[in-house]
Amino acid sequence: MATVTTAPASNPEPRQDPSQLLPSKLAHSRPLFDPQIVRRAVIESLRKLNPVTLAKNPVMFVVEIGAALTTVFLFSDFSGFTLQIAIWLWFTVVFANFAEAMAEARGKAQADTLRKTKTDSLAHRIGRNGALEDVPSSALRSGDIVICEAGEIIPGDGEVVEGIATVDESVITGESAPVIRESGGDRSAVTGGTKVLSDHIRIQITSNPGETFLDRMIALVEGAERQKTPNEIALNILIVGLTLIFLLAVVTLHPFASFSVKQAGAGQAPSVAVLVSLLVCLIPTTIGGLLSAIGIAGMDRVMQHNVLAMSGKAVEAAGDVNSLLLDKTGTITLGNRQAVEFITADGVSEQDLADAAQLSSLADETPEGRSVVVLAKEKYGLRGRHIPEHEATFIPFSAYTRMSGVDFQGRQLRKGATEAIVRFVVERGGRAPSNFQELSDRISRNGGTPLAVADGGRLLGLIHLKDIVKGGMRDRIAQLRRMGIRTVMITGDNPLTAAAIASEAGVDDFLAQATPKDKLEYIKREQAAGRLVAMTGDGTNDAPALAQADVGLAMNTGTMAAKEAGNMVDLDSNPTKLIEVVAIGKQLLITRGALTTFSIANDVAKYFAIIPAMFMATYPELGLLNIMGLHTPQSAVLAAVIFNALIIIALVPLALRGVKYRPLDAAGLLRRNLLIYGVGGLLAPFPGIWVIDQLLTLLHLA
Amino acid sequence: MTPLGLFQIVLYFALILAAAKPMGAFMANVFEGKRTFLHPALRWLETLTYRVCGVREDAEQRWTEYTASLLSFSVFGFLLTYLLQRAQAMLPWNPQGLGAVSPDLSFNTAVSFVTNTNWQAYSGESTMSYLVQMAALTVQNFASAAAGIAIAIALVRGFARQEQKTIGNFWVDVTRATVYVLLPLSFVAALVFCSQGVVQNLSPYTSAVTVEGAKQAIAQGPVASQEAIKELGTNGGGFFNANSSHPFENPTPFTNLFQMFLIFLIPGGLTYTFGRMVKDTRQGWAIFAAFSVMFLAGVFVLYHFEQSGNPILGNLGIERHATAAQAGGNMEGKEVRFGIANSALFATITTDASCGAVNSMHDSFTPIAGLVPLFNIMTGEVIFGGVGAGLYGILLYCIIAVFIAGLMVGRTPEYLGKKIEQKEVKMAMLAIIATAASILVFAGISLAANFAEKGYWNAPGAAIANLNNNGPHGFAEMLYAYVSATGNNGSAFAGINANTPWFNLTLGLAMLIGRFLFLIPLLAAAGSLAAKKRLPVTAGTFPTHGPLFVGLLVGTVVIVGALTFFPALSLGPVVEHFLMNSGRLWS
């Protein structure tokens, strides 16, 4: 004997700390310094000393040439000082290599894991003559039809053309709960390498070997296809330009110094080791060494959020986004409407209405139905009741009657669309109160859905079903606005309902009764006004809009067309993640800017260390510039070089993790970051160099 | 520093501040082709110029065409100036019968005036005839200034326009700058100068016998007309060798103030023009504020050290403080009628702007006071700056400042709604590298150069023999020459005999690099900016009008400027200062 019980309404998503757009803990994050990754990176950073590879990074290439030059001069004119300079210059290059290798190694480790799952499985292909043949999955070509049984690995990317099955996609998503894949509709895409758990499906293969989603994913996380992003290239131009300028300043310092030495009749022109030291300290080695690591780590962070970005450019674009197009259902609101209020008709007690509403919904397994039961329980203390099935007749909802309910102990309890229920009541000799339609309309106007409740010929009242804006969503949208990002709600609802929800969620604009074409038009309009647009989508009809948007986040559950049109795929299929992707994009750009500013600001202190040291013998009066009180010229130069090398390694965690991102407006962010990385960068080296100088003197190294 | 001195500095700044808006609004109207109050009187001249030159007023140019026009204009100006000097002996209005100018000096001078540098390796009164002064030099004073303004306006259009291929018409911009801005103001200013005693004649030099019985030739000439544009166009090439310290060029404290006013009048106004043209005057005021901060800092540092004088003299018991009877401080190389405050102010202004007129000898300043002019020019003259050149120079720094720090707001950097991308960064870096290279490389070579016996280029021996001083001060003299030439300033630290083929050539090249390798990249950037969309301003947009941006901009100018030249400066004025304080002197 089956019984119907009340079920709890689906819980709202766990509320995030509203001050953080990025969750602090990630499901798929790995520790920053995993021993295995570090070992791999150390080896790789030595291998990267190869000048051919290093030439791609002009700043570090200059350092390497300087290190080589100093080493060569060591043979002709050996001194402990020059030896130490040479060693630290080599360390500077290795440290920068290490930063890049660390970032890459994290991706490579993940790629290895993915590659292990890429086993060559056997596919049951339907041959030309219609007979089933077993072929290795690597022999499959786009267009082939295969059959997959429970327990088998899906041999390649494709669309389900027949059947329905539960599939374990944990290989890709890391999520162990199985998902449903069925033919037709927006849940038809399957990915090679995933496993069918139940039933069997017929799949039309859509990709050739080597071009599958898994292959692309491996290539992406491994960074094999990594291209420099536009912003990275521009930044590279800046730091290469600065390197050239400092190269000029240091090279011409030689005749300047010779002139001064001759005139003063004291001291000697600075040695090559010292000139190289000055050069290396001045050129932006910090950002030069960490630039590519920042980019790779940014991609990796997106990956840790279980989003697969097709290019670094897409992540960068996410930071620039001006308008976010968010689907109402599932993103702004919980997937389903919920009962929030019972409104009684004249002369009916609330208790009666709640009782009838609950009884009529007991058999209603839809989330809306469950929410009525929950409301009755929470607000009126009506506990869930067991109704023996043989004592009651449940009337299921049909599109024709537009109502559902139960016949129980002689009562005919119904709930449904207002018009349908009124007709039901009138047919049984009842009468609708004159203001009833008005009450119902008011609910509609406020963005809700009215459900009328009747007990036979007696009209009891209305249930107010409402779209529930996700917890914390309003805060996040307000944060986005502070960051200068407009949010636009996309919904199929009528404009009235849409406006009500839009104002409740606090979005800046909405697109009601939106068709895929409307979406596309909207995006084009925004772009014409100079705005960058991000959106999510999963259906095939979303594909044009996803392709048009600057950032198109496709859901993994979506169709292949959608996934191919977007430039990111969310493996968790959580559209809210678009906001996180934007935050990561911004964090990436901020990290670059912060380290560039830091790097340039650092130079001031290094001048004060090296210039007086360089000309101490020629012009002892320049010792007044030695404001740090460094012990000897040698210790000063060495301390500056060591600081310059160590700061790279010290900033590796920051480069890999990204600077702490706060959703502030631009002026606030600028003030904060300029203070930390600009002023901080100006001041930090003074104590840093001083401490190293103290240690060097203490250890009798200089 | 004396209260009267401080008052004069404040008064001067108040005048510039007051003039910025009316001047800027007027120029915005001129360059946007709107009618101004001068149109009824001067429009005929503008249209006549177009008709004679075959210019179509409504034809727009891409950045490449704009640059080509500028280059052909400059080449023509160069040839004219060069040939007039070479043919001077055969031409009229040469009452002193001055001979042809040497080829290398003619080259240097022609380059100098075409590039708005007005470096003068010659003495006007003993080298140039009245015809050359008027037809070659004064004409170029107008032409180079008008070209500078035109380029600045073209760059501003790059920011103001969107999705357009063109940045205006060079010929129209130059004509309008000349007809509505430079000519009328110069005309009025010349009359003001005449009223104060500046000479304006074509007479031969007057012979006089001094009280001691010595014979003296008193130079004459059409001075007032050249003087006006010399300041207004931030040219700075004096009619006489003594420049604005000569009583026929700058006779009274009033003309001194008026000259300084003219130097900053257009550069100050252009900040407002810029704000008007990009439709956000706050942007213009932010730049004006950055200018002001750097200008006032420079004046007060310079004034402080000049008024403090030389401690070595103080140690000898010589009074260094200002009293009712004497100026105190360091009066060497200064005109008594201007005093320390007005000399300090003039020196700061002339090197902030790419003017180069002088009313005192910068070579005689105390070391740190001498560092200020040097540093002002090293920044690229972006403290008000030359007419047009100051604005396009500071916009270059805006691009760099926004690019470095703009990333820290988490967006692709943008300035005035224009994304700063590869092309802009590349062009800005090119301009900075070119000027830094010119200064450092030429100075480095000249410090090391040794010339052969009977060579053409220079007197035999080391090039540094051309310097008047040894030690750090000699170093500063050499550095200053190339800084001044590259920066298109033209002021002389002096203390160097630069009229030799070697210096004429290398300084001439430095001027060409400083002018054209700086502004061509900027015009390219203007072209790329004009083609871009203008992004809407949101809360996420990097704000470029508040104090924060002003601070950032000043920081970028100082750090990018100082970082490149800090080693050089520390071997020059910085160490000289320390040496002076420790009582050590150089001959």
Side-chain angles (χ1 to χ4, degrees):
Chain A
M1 186 177 77
T3 56
V4 181
T5 51
T6 57
S10 57
N11 282 321
E13 277 186 14
R15 216 181 128 95
Q16 280 192 340
D17 173 5
S19 71
Q20 296 296 318
L21 275 185
L22 290 173
S24 50
K25 199 170 173 299
L26 293 168
H28 310 279
S29 65
R30 291 179 299 279
L32 198 56
F33 289 103
D34 182 280
Q36 201 189 338
I37 290 178
V38 172
R39 202 172 316 127
R40 196 169 176 161
V42 168
I43 296 166
E44 195 57 28
S45 57
L46 293 173
R47 196 174 296 152
K48 279 171 185 279
L49 284 174
N50 180 355
V52 181
T53 342
L54 207 61
K56 284 184 203 132
N57 182 347
V59 180
M60 294 327 290
F61 187 60
V62 167
V63 179
E64 185 171 44
I65 292 174
L69 216 59
T70 315
T71 312
V72 168
F73 272 89
L74 208 53
F75 289 107
S76 61
D77 184 18
F78 183 86
S79 78
F81 168 70
T82 315
L83 176 69
Q84 289 187 68
I85 294 281
I87 290 172
W88 281 104
L89 290 179
W90 284 112
F91 267 130
T92 310
V93 185
V94 172
F95 287 168
N97 288 346
F98 176 73
E100 192 182 73
M102 272 296 285
E104 285 171 353
R106 290 159 66 79
K108 281 194 180 127
Q110 191 167 6
D112 287 351
T113 323
L114 284 174
R115 213 175 264 126
K116 269 183 217 140
T117 66
K118 218 186 117 194
T119 44
D120 200 20
S121 54
L122 217 55
H124 316 298
R125 183 169 65 182
I126 300 177
R128 265 189 215 99
N129 50 6
L132 218 55
E133 54 186 17
D134 282 0
V135 293
S137 59
S138 56
L140 291 175
R141 290 289 178 277
S142 179
D144 287 352
I145 305 272
V146 296
I147 285 177
C148 241
E149 301 280 344
E152 286 177 351
I153 303 281
I154 296 176
D157 295 356
E159 303 263 348
V160 181
V161 287
E162 199 185 304
I164 177 167
T166 51
V167 177
D168 173 9
E169 293 195 339
S170 57
V171 175
I172 309 255
T173 62
E175 178 63 54
S176 52
V179 291
I180 291 175
R181 293 286 179 246
E182 59 187 329
S183 62
D186 288 344
R187 287 166 175 261
S188 61
V190 287
T191 312
T194 57
K195 192 174 176 187
V196 177
L197 291 181
S198 71
D199 307 288
H200 78 274
I201 41 176
R202 198 177 270 241
I203 300 163
Q204 178 161 32
I205 298 294
T206 52
S207 64
N208 292 324
E211 298 165 9
T212 64
F213 189 67
L214 202 60
D215 289 321
R216 262 200 319 186
M217 193 162 156
I218 290 169
L220 281 167
V221 296
E222 205 171 27
E225 292 172 13
R226 205 180 104 76
Q227 286 176 324
K228 283 194 174 131
T229 60
N231 176 261
E232 213 176 338
I233 295 171
L235 197 52
N236 231 329
I237 292 170
L238 178 88
I239 61 180
V240 169
L242 288 174
T243 304
L244 265 174
I245 291 176
F246 289 125
L247 196 59
L248 281 168
V250 170
V251 168
T252 55
L253 194 54
H254 191 76
F256 293 179
S258 303
F259 169 86
S260 303
V261 167
K262 220 177 291 167
Q263 294 277 317
Q268 52 194 358
S271 68
V272 170
V274 171
L275 283 176
V276 169
S277 302
L278 178 64
L279 176 66
V280 170
C281 284
L282 294 184
I283 61 176
T285 46
T286 314
I287 182 66
L290 297 174
L291 186 57
S292 67
I294 296 170
I296 299 168
M299 290 279 282
D300 189 53
R301 261 197 313 283
V302 174
M303 192 64 220
Q304 287 178 37
H305 280 77
N306 239 6
V307 173
L308 199 59
M310 299 302 161
S311 68
K313 199 176 164 185
V315 180
E316 217 167 70
D320 278 345
V321 158
N322 303 88
S323 301
L324 279 185
L325 266 51
L326 301 173
D327 279 328
K328 184 199 79 177
T329 307
T331 310
I332 293 173
T333 62
L334 296 172
N336 310 293
R337 286 178 256 243
Q338 290 188 9
V340 291
E341 195 184 1
F342 295 129
I343 300 162
T344 54
D346 291 342
V348 180
S349 77
E350 286 194 23
Q351 205 66 26
D352 284 355
L353 173 59
D355 179 65
Q358 188 201 40
L359 285 172
S360 67
S361 303
L362 282 178
D364 187 350
E365 281 290 346
T366 63
E368 287 86 351
R370 287 185 205 157
S371 76
V372 172
V373 176
V374 169
L375 181 71
K377 178 179 161 190
E378 284 179 353
K379 210 163 169 186
Y380 301 98
L382 296 178
R383 296 195 54 80
R385 285 168 285 186
H386 294 252
I387 302 178
E389 208 165 78
H390 63 268
E391 289 177 22
T393 317
F394 292 106
I395 317 289
F397 178 85
S398 83
Y400 177 70
T401 61
R402 291 167 68 206
M403 63 175 113
S404 65
V406 61
D407 290 345
F408 173 61
Q409 295 178 345
R411 297 167 74 187
Q412 285 184 308
L413 300 167
R414 295 288 182 278
K415 72 171 200 295
T418 306
E419 292 157 39
I421 294 292
V422 167
R423 199 177 324 116
F424 176 83
V425 167
V426 171
E427 277 168 10
R428 275 151 193 77
R431 197 178 63 80
S434 55
N435 67 341
F436 195 75
Q437 193 60 42
E438 164 60 24
L439 283 175
S440 169
D441 285 350
R442 194 181 301 156
I443 293 173
S444 299
R445 271 200 302 279
N446 290 330
T449 307
L451 276 185
V453 182
D455 183 354
R458 188 167 166 237
L459 199 54
L460 298 175
L462 292 159
I463 303 170
H464 182 173
L465 285 182
K466 196 179 162 193
D467 261 323
I468 302 295
V469 173
K470 281 188 182 173
M473 203 58 201
R474 215 186 143 82
D475 288 339
R476 299 183 95 186
I477 286 171
Q479 271 171 15
L480 289 169
R481 187 173 310 111
R482 268 202 300 284
M483 288 153 56
I485 297 172
R486 293 171 73 245
T487 43
V488 182
M489 185 181 84
I490 309 287
T491 171
D493 291 344
N494 65 60
L496 217 61
T497 312
I501 297 165
S503 87
E504 193 184 333
V507 295
D508 298 281
D509 194 6
F510 63 90
L511 194 59
Q513 287 168 342
T515 62
K517 191 162 163 283
D518 291 339
K519 264 198 211 181
L520 185 62
E521 291 302 318
Y522 193 92
I523 292 172
K524 283 184 177 163
R525 226 174 19 249
E526 292 281 291
Q527 288 174 334
R531 299 200 181 93
L532 263 66
V533 184
M535 68 167 285
T536 60
D538 52 6
T540 300
N541 53 16
D542 281 334
L546 278 171
Q548 179 71 31
D550 300 282
V551 177
L553 179 63
M555 300 295 107
N556 192 43
T557 52
T559 60
M560 234 15 180
K563 284 201 243 180
E564 266 160 24
N567 47 15
M568 293 189 196
V569 177
D570 179 17
L571 301 174
D572 295 338
S573 304
N574 170 11
T576 319
K577 218 181 264 170
L578 191 54
I579 298 176
E580 284 159 23
V581 170
V582 168
I584 296 172
K586 286 196 175 296
Q587 192 189 29
L588 170 70
L589 294 173
I590 293 175
T591 308
R592 268 188 208 144
L595 291 182
T596 308
T597 309
F598 187 85
S599 192
I600 295 172
N602 263 210
D603 280 4
V604 176
K606 293 174 195 162
Y607 269 126
F608 280 100
I610 297 185
I611 294 290
M614 247 178 180
F615 300 109
M616 209 53 178
T618 311
Y619 292 130
E621 291 80 1
L622 270 180
L624 285 168
L625 286 180
N626 181 8
I627 51 179
M628 284 171 269
L630 307 178
H631 283 91
T632 62
Q634 284 80 12
S635 72
V637 173
L638 205 48
V641 171
I642 294 174
F643 177 83
N644 190 58
L646 292 182
I647 198 76
I648 296 177
I649 214 77
L651 290 174
V652 167
L654 186 72
L656 295 186
R657 227 184 258 134
V659 302
K660 200 167 162 63
Y661 178 68
R662 277 158 208 277
L664 299 172
D665 64 348
L669 269 179
L670 181 65
R671 194 172 307 119
R672 194 189 140 77
N673 290 331
L674 213 50
L675 196 70
I676 298 177
Y677 300 102
V679 178
L682 213 58
L683 299 179
F686 284 101
I689 292 175
W690 182 82
V691 166
I692 296 172
D693 176 77
Q694 294 291 323
L695 286 175
L696 287 173
T697 314
L698 215 64
L699 300 172
H700 299 288
L701 286 172
Chain B
M1 292 192 265
T2 64
L4 186 63
L6 293 175
F7 168 74
Q8 292 184 74
I9 292 170
V10 172
L11 171 72
Y12 171 76
F13 182 67
L15 288 174
I16 290 301
L17 183 62
K21 188 174 169 178
M23 189 68 204
F26 170 73
M27 287 191 287
N29 288 337
V30 167
F31 293 106
E32 284 176 339
K34 294 182 185 145
R35 267 184 87 77
T36 65
F37 70 99
L38 285 178
H39 272 69
L42 293 171
R43 171 70 182 165
W44 64 271
L45 184 57
E46 189 194 348
T47 44
L48 179 72
T49 313
Y50 297 149
R51 213 166 313 131
V52 170
C53 302
V55 173
R56 275 192 43 215
E57 193 179 356
D58 54 350
E60 287 264 326
Q61 295 176 317
R62 290 163 185 254
W63 81 264
T64 42
E65 297 163 312
Y66 202 96
T67 309
S69 304
L70 163 78
L71 290 178
S72 62
F73 183 68
S74 300
V75 167
F76 178 77
F78 168 80
L79 290 176
L80 185 75
T81 314
Y82 181 83
L83 293 175
L84 279 170
Q85 291 176 81
R86 297 289 294 135
Q88 160 172 292
M90 298 176 283
L91 297 170
W93 283 331
N94 186 0
Q96 298 311 115
L98 297 166
V101 183
S102 73
D104 58 293
L105 181 59
S106 300
F107 162 80
N108 183 281
T109 308
V111 167
S112 173
F113 279 74
V114 165
T115 56
N116 198 271
T117 310
N118 302 36
W119 168 267
Q120 293 167 296
Y122 62 92
S123 294
E125 55 269 51
S126 60
T127 318
M128 303 294 176
S129 71
Y130 294 160
L131 180 81
V132 170
Q133 292 269 25
M134 292 191 293
L137 306 186
T138 306
V139 165
Q140 285 313 311
N141 279 353
F142 279 97
S144 65
I149 298 176
I151 293 150
I153 296 296
L155 181 57
V156 173
R157 286 199 191 105
F159 286 107
R161 293 182 171 182
Q162 55 173 338
E163 296 179 271
Q164 285 189 31
K165 289 179 178 137
T166 58
I167 54 172
N169 181 320
F170 176 76
W171 306 110
V172 171
D173 289 339
V174 163
T175 309
R176 286 182 181 158
T178 312
V179 169
Y180 296 110
V181 182
L182 298 174
L183 269 178
L185 279 167
S186 297
F187 184 76
V188 175
L191 291 180
V192 171
F193 283 128
C194 283
S195 78
Q196 296 293 306
V198 177
V199 297
Q200 177 77 8
N201 59 46
L202 296 173
S203 323
Y205 295 174
T206 307
S207 285
V209 179
T210 65
V211 184
E212 289 101 16
K215 275 203 170 165
Q216 186 187 9
I218 299 174
Q220 304 284 340
V223 181
S225 56
Q226 187 173 336
E227 197 62 23
I229 187 65
K230 174 186 114 184
E231 319 297 353
L232 186 67
T234 62
N235 296 285
F239 195 93
F240 304 116
N241 186 36
N243 209 309
S244 280
S245 55
H246 193 292
F248 282 179
E249 283 202 22
N250 188 8
T252 65
F254 171 72
T255 56
N256 192 58
L257 177 67
F258 189 58
Q259 292 202 347
M260 296 190 293
F261 176 71
L262 288 178
I263 296 175
F264 274 1
L265 179 61
I266 293 177
L270 277 174
T271 61
Y272 189 81
T273 308
F274 163 69
R276 264 277 300 271
M277 287 179 73
V278 299
K279 301 202 168 49
D280 184 358
T281 48
R282 295 175 310 172
Q283 305 289 348
W285 286 120
I287 287 180
F288 188 94
F291 281 168
S292 305
V293 169
M294 294 186 280
F295 160 64
L296 292 172
V299 176
F300 288 122
V301 168
L302 207 164
Y303 184 27
H304 168 78
F305 281 97
E306 281 305 279
Q307 190 65 59
S308 306
N310 187 336
I312 297 175
L313 296 178
N315 295 341
L316 296 174
I318 295 168
E319 178 60 72
R320 288 188 295 149
H321 297 286
T323 63
Q326 57 132 17
N330 175 28
M331 274 300 285
E332 184 194 313
K334 293 186 182 58
E335 283 290 297
V336 176
R337 66 183 190 283
F338 302 137
I340 294 175
N342 272 313
S343 297
L345 186 57
F346 202 108
T348 311
I349 293 165
T350 198
T351 50
D352 278 344
S354 77
C355 184
V358 290
N359 75 348
S360 58
M361 290 307 275
H362 296 180
D363 198 20
S364 301
F365 285 177
T366 53
I368 299 297
L371 182 145
V372 171
L374 201 51
F375 184 79
N376 285 343
I377 310 174
M378 280 171 172
T379 61
E381 280 153 344
V382 291
I383 310 174
F384 289 98
V387 286
L391 184 62
Y392 64 67
I394 197 77
L395 288 176
L396 173 142
Y397 276 108
C398 286
I399 289 175
I400 292 189
V402 161
F403 185 76
I404 293 174
L407 279 173
M408 287 197 294
V409 307
R411 289 168 64 97
T412 301
E414 56 195 69
Y415 183 55
L416 304 172
K418 296 299 181 109
K419 276 196 176 174
I420 306 299
E421 294 168 301
Q422 287 174 43
K423 179 91 179 256
E424 291 74 33
V425 175
K426 196 185 289 171
M427 292 303 146
M429 288 318 287
L430 256 179
I432 291 187
I433 292 171
T435 47
S438 167
I439 293 171
L440 294 168
V441 173
F442 282 129
I445 293 175
S446 287
L447 281 170
N450 235 321
F451 294 97
E453 204 69 39
K454 286 187 200 151
Y456 166 74
W457 293 105
N458 206 359
I464 54 175
N466 293 33
L467 300 171
N468 283 0
N469 293 85
N470 289 314
H473 199 76
F475 179 77
E477 287 166 349
M478 184 69 85
L479 189 63
Y480 196 106
Y482 288 103
V483 167
S484 176
T486 307
N488 293 153
N489 183 278
S491 73
F493 208 48
I496 177 173
N497 170 24
N499 189 11
T500 69
W502 166 255
F503 284 103
N504 277 333
L505 176 75
T506 51
L507 289 166
L509 290 176
M511 291 185 249
L512 288 173
I513 293 172
R515 175 84 164 179
F516 294 105
L517 290 191
F518 194 83
L519 61 80
I520 292 174
L522 280 179
L523 281 173
S528 125
L529 287 166
K532 292 186 186 196
K533 259 181 212 155
R534 197 167 185 183
L535 307 177
V537 175
T538 68
T541 306
F542 182 102
T544 53
H545 51 73
L548 194 63
F549 179 71
V550 172
L552 175 68
L553 184 56
V554 171
T556 307
V557 170
V558 171
I559 289 188
V560 174
L563 283 184
T564 315
F565 299 109
F566 191 81
L569 287 175
S570 48
L571 287 178
V574 173
V575 74
E576 192 189 356
H577 175 74
F578 292 144
L579 289 169
M580 178 182 78
N581 280 346
S582 66
R584 200 165 153 206
L585 289 175
W586 297 79
S587 58

